[in-house]
Amino acid sequence: MNKSFALVVVTAIALSPISKAFAGEPVFGGPIVYGRLNLTLERAKIEDAEANTRFVDNGSRLGMRGGKSIGSDVAAMIHVEARLRNDPNGWIVKSRDTWVGLQDVKLGIVRSGMMEGPLYHATYDEVSMHNHDSGRSSDKLLAEDAVGGRLSRAIYYRAPIEGTIKVELLHAFLSKGSAKANASNPSRDELALTYEAGTSWIAGGYAASRNLKVGKAWTLAGATTVNSIILAGLYDGSATIPL
């Protein structure tokens, strides 16, 4: 069993409350085009190797999202995003989060397509405050079993709860691949719960991936702002269990 704990203290540049910017929040109208170009000049030395200095790409991307009402209480949503990666041979464009969805006032939100799981966005992505877990200088405070990566065949659901509580679920059909050819119906499931109160929030959840083995992870994270200083903490545990 693996466990890790991290405490992060970051001085806020602006006197503003914590912004819980969950990826893919419902957006109506548009479409809205968004993106970021994130390149850093870094000098790094790893163990006994010579130090090198180079430009490093840290998750540059370009996307479009929007929504349209198709009834009094129902709206359709679309989200298309591409990863822009700076390579020595030029820029490379690769598909990232791409999904379609429906939002019903009474039934909640459902999405289908390629996406990252809600547990990552509810916990790790909110606590990791440098380069969004991208590039060699990022602060990757995570267990691989809990993250899951980008899932190409996923179904996401968010309960229709208003206010300070958010409940999210995900089920994904995993590809077998040559190394997992003997796996029986490989899949991944996630549950993420979030509670917000002013400039403070706490989130946690559970994830399980089933291939040749079962990888389980549970995560708890939270943050608050004290005199323009953000205090954030993260705890995760993981275990791999033979089938």
Side-chain angles (χ1 to χ4, degrees):
M1 180 171 298
N2 300 316
K3 296 182 179 179
S4 62
F5 176 78
L7 178 63
V8 183
V9 180
V10 179
T11 302
I13 297 176
L15 300 179
S16 60
I18 295 174
S19 175
K20 288 284 289 173
F22 287 89
E25 288 286 356
V27 176
F28 303 107
I32 295 175
V33 178
Y34 68 94
R36 76 176 189 183
L37 181 63
N38 191 348
L39 294 175
T40 56
L41 179 61
E42 299 180 3
R43 179 175 176 80
K45 178 178 175 59
I46 302 175
E47 295 182 349
D48 296 330
E50 294 185 0
N52 64 7
T53 303
R54 60 188 175 93
F55 280 102
V56 179
D57 176 76
N58 298 294
S60 300
R61 65 197 65 171
L62 179 65
M64 180 275 293
R65 61 175 178 253
K68 182 177 179 60
S69 176
I70 56 176
S72 58
D73 295 327
V74 184
M77 301 175 290
I78 185 171
H79 183 110
V80 179
E81 184 177 285
R83 170 77 162 89
L84 305 178
R85 184 163 62 88
N86 184 28
D87 186 83
N89 298 321
W91 285 91
I92 297 176
V93 179
K94 186 178 180 179
S95 179
R96 276 177 57 93
D97 293 354
T98 301
W99 48 260
V100 294
L102 290 173
Q103 175 174 330
D104 185 279
V105 173
K106 297 180 179 179
L107 300 179
I109 299 172
V110 62
R111 304 172 188 155
S112 177
M114 177 185 292
M115 66 192 79
E116 288 179 305
L119 183 58
Y120 167 77
H121 287 289
T123 57
Y124 299 103
D125 195 37
E126 291 295 332
V127 172
S128 180
M129 298 180 182
H130 178 64
N131 283 340
H132 296 271
D133 300 327
S134 301
R136 63 181 181 175
S137 64
S138 62
D139 49 349
K140 296 184 177 180
L141 311 173
L142 47 86
E144 293 298 327
D145 289 327
V147 179
R150 188 156 277 102
L151 304 162
S152 61
R153 295 180 295 171
I155 300 173
Y156 165 92
Y157 173 73
R158 174 173 166 180
I161 302 175
E162 297 182 359
T164 59
I165 298 176
K166 179 183 292 186
V167 180
E168 301 171 283
L169 299 168
L170 176 135
H171 178 79
F173 303 92
L174 302 180
S175 175
K176 288 189 176 184
S178 58
K180 304 172 183 176
N182 296 324
S184 177
N185 300 319
S187 62
R188 178 173 178 81
D189 295 288
E190 292 190 18
L191 165 66
L193 305 174
T194 304
Y195 174 78
E196 296 182 68
T199 61
S200 303
W201 61 268
I202 185 170
Y206 172 81
S209 295
R210 297 171 182 84
N211 287 302
L212 297 177
K213 298 180 179 180
V214 177
K216 297 183 178 182
W218 41 95
T219 307
L220 181 66
T224 188
T225 301
V226 180
N227 295 327
S228 76
I229 297 178
I230 300 175
L231 303 176
L234 172 71
Y235 173 87
D236 69 42
S238 63
T240 301
I241 303 172
L243 288 175

